[in-house]
Amino acid sequence: MTLAVLTSRALAGVDAPAVRVETHLAAGLPTFTVVGLADVEVRESRERVRAAILNSGYDFPAGRITVNLSPADLRKESGRFDLPMALGVLLASGQVSVPPAPGGPGDDPLTHVVLAGELSLTGTLVPVAAPLAIALGTARDHAHAELILPAVSAAQAAHVPGLRVWAAHTLTEVVSHVTGAAPLAVARPAPWPEPLPLPCLSDVRGQGGARRALELAAAGGHSLLMVGPPGAGKSMLAQRLPGILPPLAAEHALEAAAIASLTGEPGCMGTQPPFRAPHHTASAAALVGGGARPRPGEISRAHHGVLFLDELPEFSRRALEALREPLETGQISISRAMQTVRYPARFQFVAAMNPCPCGWRGHPRHACRCSAEQASRYRAKVSGPMLDRIDLHVMLPPAQADWMSLPPGEPSAAIRERVVACRERQVARQGEPNAALVGHQLEACCPMAEQARELLRVAMSRLHASARATHRALRVARTAADLDGDEIIAERHIAEAVQYRLS
Ligand SMILES: [Zn+2]
C-alpha cells in the first residue's frame, strides 16, 4: 500500500468535525510534507511523528511522504493528528498491514475507526484536548464507531454512549491493535467527581418572597431579576439556586463537561448544574466568548446551568448587548477571519441589582444620596428588551435589623424535592421546562379557570403589558400551578405570577 486513509476529528467551537488523514508515499528525495491548512503545531508534528516512529522500532521510510488533512478549509490545531499520521506512514510504507475486514476485501477495516492523539518523541501518547467533544461528534456521525485515544482522554470519552472507546498508551500498542496482534483495553469511564457541597438555603433567614421566587425559578427554569439594597441577601440567594435545581440529565452533563474541557480547566463533569458568576468588569468577550483563537465565554460555561450577573447595571453596555443573541437562541456564534465557531449557551439567567447607584433608595435606616434622575438613569442601563426577557422580577426588602433572631429558612434538600417533582410534571407534559413554552404550545399547556383568565386579562390591561409580558406571567403561573400539582391554572396562580413584574 502506498496510500493510507484514516479518520480523525478537528475542533471547531464545541464541534469536532471529521478530518480525513491521507498519507501518500512516493519514490524520490526524502521529504515529509503536511498539506491542508496546517498551522504551526501540525508542522511541528512532523518532527514528533518521525521521532516516535524511529523510537518505536520502525523505519522512517525514505521517499516523498505527503500527508493531506481534509477538508482543507478547516482549521486544525494541536498535535491530535500525530497518531493518525504516524499510523498512516507505517501503513503506507507497508511496515504494518491490517487484516481484511469481515465484509470482504473491498471493505476498509479502518473505516469505522477514529484516531486522535499527540505523540511524544518516544512514541508514548499524550492526552488530547476536549476528548468529550471528539466523542460526542463521532457518536453523532456514525453508529458503531470506534475511537482510539490516549488512555486519559479515553476515560473521559467513554462516558459517551454508543461508541467503543479504546485506551492506548503508545504508538506500538495502537499498531498491535489494528494488526490484530493484541487488542487495546476497552476504556472505562472515569468516575464523575463527587459533587461539591453547595451552600444551603437554610442560611437565608427571612426574605420569604425572594425565596419563593427562587423556588419558582428553579422549578420552571425561569430567569430571575432581584432588586434590593446591599445586604438584603441577593447574592446569597443566587448562589443557592444550583442546590435546589434538578440534577442534569446525562446528555446535558456531557455537553456541559465538553465545554468545560475546552477551557483546559478541570471540568465540572457530573450532574451538578454549572454556576457561573462573572464580575461586572468582565469584557464582552469574556462573557460571551471570543479571542483570536475563540474560546467559550461565561455564558457557554453556564450551559445547562446558571449564569448569575450581580450588579447588573455595572456591566458594560456592550457586554449586556452581547447577551441578547444567546438569551434568544441558546447559542453564540463567533466570527473570526479564519473561521466561525458556535458555542451552545442555554443557561438560566439570574441577575441582581441595587435600586439606585448608592443602593439605599427606599431603605428605612439609610439615606439615599441619589437624585430621582440618577436612580432612573441607573435602572435604564439595563435595556427594556433585556428586562423583557426576564420572567420573574422580585423586589427584596432590606434585611430586618433583628434578622439573627429569625428562625433558619427551609433547607435546600426539601425545596429541591418539590422542584424535582414539579420539573418531572413539566417534562411529562411538554418535554421541556415551562420557561421554554412559547406561542401555540404556551396556550395548549396553560388551561385556565374562568376567573384566572379574567384576572390575567384585567391585570395585564391595567399594567399596559405587552404580549410578551403576558406570556411571561402565564409561564410563571403554569409553574406555580405545577408546584401545587394542579393541571388547571387557578386565579391564585395568576395573582402570584402578576406580582413578579416590576417594569
Ligand atoms: Zn441611592
PDB file of all heavy atoms in Angstrom, residues 13 20 54 79 82 107 127 149 187 207 257 276 286 299 324 335 436 457 472 478 493:
ATOM      1  N   GLY A  13     -15.085  25.275  17.838  1.00  0.00           N
ATOM      2  CA  GLY A  13     -16.046  25.534  18.906  1.00  0.00           C
ATOM      3  C   GLY A  13     -16.133  24.266  19.725  1.00  0.00           C
ATOM      4  O   GLY A  13     -15.114  23.671  20.068  1.00  0.00           O
ATOM      5  N   ARG A  20     -10.154  13.776   7.264  1.00  0.00           N
ATOM      6  CA  ARG A  20      -9.528  12.638   6.593  1.00  0.00           C
ATOM      7  C   ARG A  20      -8.028  12.858   6.613  1.00  0.00           C
ATOM      8  O   ARG A  20      -7.555  13.924   6.208  1.00  0.00           O
ATOM      9  CB  ARG A  20      -9.990  12.629   5.129  1.00  0.00           C
ATOM     10  CG  ARG A  20     -10.830  11.472   4.714  1.00  0.00           C
ATOM     11  CD  ARG A  20     -11.432  11.826   3.363  1.00  0.00           C
ATOM     12  NE  ARG A  20     -10.559  11.392   2.266  1.00  0.00           N
ATOM     13  CZ  ARG A  20     -10.662  10.214   1.679  1.00  0.00           C
ATOM     14  NH1 ARG A  20     -11.579   9.352   2.086  1.00  0.00           N
ATOM     15  NH2 ARG A  20      -9.870   9.896   0.681  1.00  0.00           N
ATOM     16  N   LEU A  54      10.666   6.144  14.764  1.00  0.00           N
ATOM     17  CA  LEU A  54      12.008   5.569  14.942  1.00  0.00           C
ATOM     18  C   LEU A  54      12.157   4.972  16.339  1.00  0.00           C
ATOM     19  O   LEU A  54      12.654   3.853  16.490  1.00  0.00           O
ATOM     20  CB  LEU A  54      13.075   6.643  14.701  1.00  0.00           C
ATOM     21  CG  LEU A  54      13.181   7.108  13.240  1.00  0.00           C
ATOM     22  CD1 LEU A  54      14.094   8.332  13.134  1.00  0.00           C
ATOM     23  CD2 LEU A  54      13.685   5.970  12.346  1.00  0.00           C
ATOM     24  N   GLY A  79      -1.653  18.773  18.388  1.00  0.00           N
ATOM     25  CA  GLY A  79      -0.981  17.585  17.881  1.00  0.00           C
ATOM     26  C   GLY A  79      -1.881  16.373  17.761  1.00  0.00           C
ATOM     27  O   GLY A  79      -1.389  15.254  17.631  1.00  0.00           O
ATOM     28  N   ASP A  82      -1.121  13.618  15.218  1.00  0.00           N
ATOM     29  CA  ASP A  82       0.135  12.847  15.233  1.00  0.00           C
ATOM     30  C   ASP A  82      -0.122  11.351  15.056  1.00  0.00           C
ATOM     31  O   ASP A  82       0.532  10.687  14.255  1.00  0.00           O
ATOM     32  CB  ASP A  82       0.871  13.011  16.584  1.00  0.00           C
ATOM     33  CG  ASP A  82       1.457  14.396  16.785  1.00  0.00           C
ATOM     34  OD1 ASP A  82       1.291  15.251  15.905  1.00  0.00           O
ATOM     35  OD2 ASP A  82       2.087  14.602  17.847  1.00  0.00           O
ATOM     36  N   ASP A 107     -13.820  -3.947   1.667  1.00  0.00           N
ATOM     37  CA  ASP A 107     -14.264  -3.166   2.824  1.00  0.00           C
ATOM     38  C   ASP A 107     -13.050  -2.750   3.654  1.00  0.00           C
ATOM     39  O   ASP A 107     -12.289  -3.593   4.118  1.00  0.00           O
ATOM     40  CB  ASP A 107     -15.206  -4.063   3.652  1.00  0.00           C
ATOM     41  CG  ASP A 107     -15.984  -3.264   4.674  1.00  0.00           C
ATOM     42  OD1 ASP A 107     -15.814  -2.030   4.700  1.00  0.00           O
ATOM     43  OD2 ASP A 107     -16.751  -3.880   5.441  1.00  0.00           O
ATOM     44  N   PRO A 127      -2.331  13.065  26.265  1.00  0.00           N
ATOM     45  CA  PRO A 127      -3.771  13.323  26.167  1.00  0.00           C
ATOM     46  C   PRO A 127      -4.097  14.465  25.199  1.00  0.00           C
ATOM     47  O   PRO A 127      -3.318  15.403  25.043  1.00  0.00           O
ATOM     48  CB  PRO A 127      -4.165  13.713  27.597  1.00  0.00           C
ATOM     49  CG  PRO A 127      -3.126  13.093  28.463  1.00  0.00           C
ATOM     50  CD  PRO A 127      -1.858  13.071  27.654  1.00  0.00           C
ATOM     51  N   LEU A 149      -7.938   6.540  21.535  1.00  0.00           N
ATOM     52  CA  LEU A 149      -7.463   7.777  22.158  1.00  0.00           C
ATOM     53  C   LEU A 149      -6.401   7.448  23.210  1.00  0.00           C
ATOM     54  O   LEU A 149      -6.374   6.335  23.739  1.00  0.00           O
ATOM     55  CB  LEU A 149      -8.632   8.492  22.869  1.00  0.00           C
ATOM     56  CG  LEU A 149      -9.711   9.134  22.013  1.00  0.00           C
ATOM     57  CD1 LEU A 149     -10.824   9.673  22.911  1.00  0.00           C
ATOM     58  CD2 LEU A 149      -9.148  10.253  21.154  1.00  0.00           C
ATOM     59  N   ALA A 187     -11.799   1.310  27.158  1.00  0.00           N
ATOM     60  CA  ALA A 187     -11.716   2.386  28.158  1.00  0.00           C
ATOM     61  C   ALA A 187     -12.898   2.323  29.100  1.00  0.00           C
ATOM     62  O   ALA A 187     -14.034   2.108  28.677  1.00  0.00           O
ATOM     63  CB  ALA A 187     -11.672   3.731  27.463  1.00  0.00           C
ATOM     64  N   GLN A 207     -36.765  36.968  54.121  1.00  0.00           N
ATOM     65  CA  GLN A 207     -36.829  37.072  52.663  1.00  0.00           C
ATOM     66  C   GLN A 207     -37.724  35.984  52.049  1.00  0.00           C
ATOM     67  O   GLN A 207     -37.386  35.372  51.019  1.00  0.00           O
ATOM     68  CB  GLN A 207     -35.432  37.008  52.024  1.00  0.00           C
ATOM     69  CG  GLN A 207     -34.534  38.184  52.357  1.00  0.00           C
ATOM     70  CD  GLN A 207     -35.081  39.524  51.869  1.00  0.00           C
ATOM     71  OE1 GLN A 207     -36.222  39.633  51.386  1.00  0.00           O
ATOM     72  NE2 GLN A 207     -34.310  40.567  52.030  1.00  0.00           N
ATOM     73  N   ALA A 257     -19.808  19.252  30.332  1.00  0.00           N
ATOM     74  CA  ALA A 257     -18.426  18.844  30.579  1.00  0.00           C
ATOM     75  C   ALA A 257     -17.566  19.036  29.333  1.00  0.00           C
ATOM     76  O   ALA A 257     -16.381  19.377  29.436  1.00  0.00           O
ATOM     77  CB  ALA A 257     -18.389  17.386  31.026  1.00  0.00           C
ATOM     78  N   ARG A 276     -22.092  30.008  37.092  1.00  0.00           N
ATOM     79  CA  ARG A 276     -21.042  30.949  36.740  1.00  0.00           C
ATOM     80  C   ARG A 276     -21.483  32.337  37.176  1.00  0.00           C
ATOM     81  O   ARG A 276     -22.618  32.733  36.932  1.00  0.00           O
ATOM     82  CB  ARG A 276     -20.784  30.958  35.231  1.00  0.00           C
ATOM     83  CG  ARG A 276     -20.438  29.613  34.640  1.00  0.00           C
ATOM     84  CD  ARG A 276     -19.123  29.047  35.104  1.00  0.00           C
ATOM     85  NE  ARG A 276     -17.975  29.889  34.823  1.00  0.00           N
ATOM     86  CZ  ARG A 276     -16.736  29.587  35.146  1.00  0.00           C
ATOM     87  NH1 ARG A 276     -16.477  28.438  35.768  1.00  0.00           N
ATOM     88  NH2 ARG A 276     -15.750  30.400  34.879  1.00  0.00           N
ATOM     89  N   ALA A 286     -15.119  38.042  27.362  1.00  0.00           N
ATOM     90  CA  ALA A 286     -15.056  37.085  28.468  1.00  0.00           C
ATOM     91  C   ALA A 286     -16.445  36.532  28.761  1.00  0.00           C
ATOM     92  O   ALA A 286     -16.607  35.372  29.139  1.00  0.00           O
ATOM     93  CB  ALA A 286     -14.492  37.756  29.718  1.00  0.00           C
ATOM     94  N   ILE A 299     -21.048  32.523  29.379  1.00  0.00           N
ATOM     95  CA  ILE A 299     -22.412  32.055  29.072  1.00  0.00           C
ATOM     96  C   ILE A 299     -22.413  30.596  28.619  1.00  0.00           C
ATOM     97  O   ILE A 299     -23.367  29.871  28.867  1.00  0.00           O
ATOM     98  CB  ILE A 299     -23.097  32.933  28.004  1.00  0.00           C
ATOM     99  CG1 ILE A 299     -22.297  32.946  26.707  1.00  0.00           C
ATOM    100  CG2 ILE A 299     -23.313  34.358  28.511  1.00  0.00           C
ATOM    101  CD1 ILE A 299     -23.080  33.534  25.549  1.00  0.00           C
ATOM    102  N   ARG A 324     -27.853  39.442  24.258  1.00  0.00           N
ATOM    103  CA  ARG A 324     -29.204  39.329  23.695  1.00  0.00           C
ATOM    104  C   ARG A 324     -29.358  38.139  22.763  1.00  0.00           C
ATOM    105  O   ARG A 324     -30.338  37.407  22.849  1.00  0.00           O
ATOM    106  CB  ARG A 324     -29.598  40.632  22.996  1.00  0.00           C
ATOM    107  CG  ARG A 324     -30.073  41.649  24.005  1.00  0.00           C
ATOM    108  CD  ARG A 324     -30.277  43.003  23.432  1.00  0.00           C
ATOM    109  NE  ARG A 324     -31.371  43.017  22.465  1.00  0.00           N
ATOM    110  CZ  ARG A 324     -31.817  44.135  21.910  1.00  0.00           C
ATOM    111  NH1 ARG A 324     -31.289  45.305  22.239  1.00  0.00           N
ATOM    112  NH2 ARG A 324     -32.794  44.089  21.037  1.00  0.00           N
ATOM    113  N   SER A 335     -17.348  35.009  14.959  1.00  0.00           N
ATOM    114  CA  SER A 335     -16.716  35.006  13.642  1.00  0.00           C
ATOM    115  C   SER A 335     -15.320  35.568  13.754  1.00  0.00           C
ATOM    116  O   SER A 335     -15.102  36.602  14.379  1.00  0.00           O
ATOM    117  CB  SER A 335     -17.524  35.857  12.667  1.00  0.00           C
ATOM    118  OG  SER A 335     -18.796  35.298  12.530  1.00  0.00           O
ATOM    119  N   ALA A 436     -39.485  27.451  28.708  1.00  0.00           N
ATOM    120  CA  ALA A 436     -39.256  27.319  27.261  1.00  0.00           C
ATOM    121  C   ALA A 436     -40.569  27.344  26.467  1.00  0.00           C
ATOM    122  O   ALA A 436     -40.541  27.283  25.242  1.00  0.00           O
ATOM    123  CB  ALA A 436     -38.501  26.027  26.978  1.00  0.00           C
ATOM    124  N   ARG A 457     -56.468  38.960  32.171  1.00  0.00           N
ATOM    125  CA  ARG A 457     -56.856  39.988  31.204  1.00  0.00           C
ATOM    126  C   ARG A 457     -56.870  41.362  31.871  1.00  0.00           C
ATOM    127  O   ARG A 457     -56.279  42.316  31.390  1.00  0.00           O
ATOM    128  CB  ARG A 457     -58.239  39.668  30.614  1.00  0.00           C
ATOM    129  CG  ARG A 457     -58.612  40.487  29.403  1.00  0.00           C
ATOM    130  CD  ARG A 457     -60.054  40.252  29.000  1.00  0.00           C
ATOM    131  NE  ARG A 457     -61.024  40.666  30.027  1.00  0.00           N
ATOM    132  CZ  ARG A 457     -61.328  41.931  30.286  1.00  0.00           C
ATOM    133  NH1 ARG A 457     -60.761  42.914  29.609  1.00  0.00           N
ATOM    134  NH2 ARG A 457     -62.205  42.232  31.240  1.00  0.00           N
ATOM    135  N   ARG A 472     -45.030  35.920  29.750  1.00  0.00           N
ATOM    136  CA  ARG A 472     -44.116  35.710  30.853  1.00  0.00           C
ATOM    137  C   ARG A 472     -44.904  35.360  32.121  1.00  0.00           C
ATOM    138  O   ARG A 472     -44.583  34.415  32.838  1.00  0.00           O
ATOM    139  CB  ARG A 472     -43.356  37.022  31.056  1.00  0.00           C
ATOM    140  CG  ARG A 472     -42.060  36.929  31.717  1.00  0.00           C
ATOM    141  CD  ARG A 472     -41.297  38.212  31.508  1.00  0.00           C
ATOM    142  NE  ARG A 472     -41.859  39.310  32.263  1.00  0.00           N
ATOM    143  CZ  ARG A 472     -41.566  40.599  32.061  1.00  0.00           C
ATOM    144  NH1 ARG A 472     -40.730  40.940  31.110  1.00  0.00           N
ATOM    145  NH2 ARG A 472     -42.097  41.519  32.792  1.00  0.00           N
ATOM    146  N   ARG A 478     -48.043  28.931  35.238  1.00  0.00           N
ATOM    147  CA  ARG A 478     -48.006  27.487  34.933  1.00  0.00           C
ATOM    148  C   ARG A 478     -47.128  26.760  35.966  1.00  0.00           C
ATOM    149  O   ARG A 478     -47.474  25.707  36.480  1.00  0.00           O
ATOM    150  CB  ARG A 478     -47.477  27.308  33.505  1.00  0.00           C
ATOM    151  CG  ARG A 478     -47.232  25.902  33.001  1.00  0.00           C
ATOM    152  CD  ARG A 478     -48.501  25.119  32.776  1.00  0.00           C
ATOM    153  NE  ARG A 478     -48.918  24.480  34.019  1.00  0.00           N
ATOM    154  CZ  ARG A 478     -50.094  23.882  34.205  1.00  0.00           C
ATOM    155  NH1 ARG A 478     -50.994  23.848  33.229  1.00  0.00           N
ATOM    156  NH2 ARG A 478     -50.393  23.332  35.350  1.00  0.00           N
ATOM    157  N   HIS A 493     -52.837  31.430  41.147  1.00  0.00           N
ATOM    158  CA  HIS A 493     -51.571  31.265  40.427  1.00  0.00           C
ATOM    159  C   HIS A 493     -51.301  32.485  39.546  1.00  0.00           C
ATOM    160  O   HIS A 493     -50.169  32.958  39.451  1.00  0.00           O
ATOM    161  CB  HIS A 493     -51.585  29.984  39.576  1.00  0.00           C
ATOM    162  CG  HIS A 493     -51.845  28.744  40.388  1.00  0.00           C
ATOM    163  ND1 HIS A 493     -52.788  27.801  40.029  1.00  0.00           N
ATOM    164  CD2 HIS A 493     -51.308  28.323  41.562  1.00  0.00           C
ATOM    165  CE1 HIS A 493     -52.803  26.829  40.938  1.00  0.00           C
ATOM    166  NE2 HIS A 493     -51.920  27.132  41.888  1.00  0.00           N
TER     167      HIS A 493
END
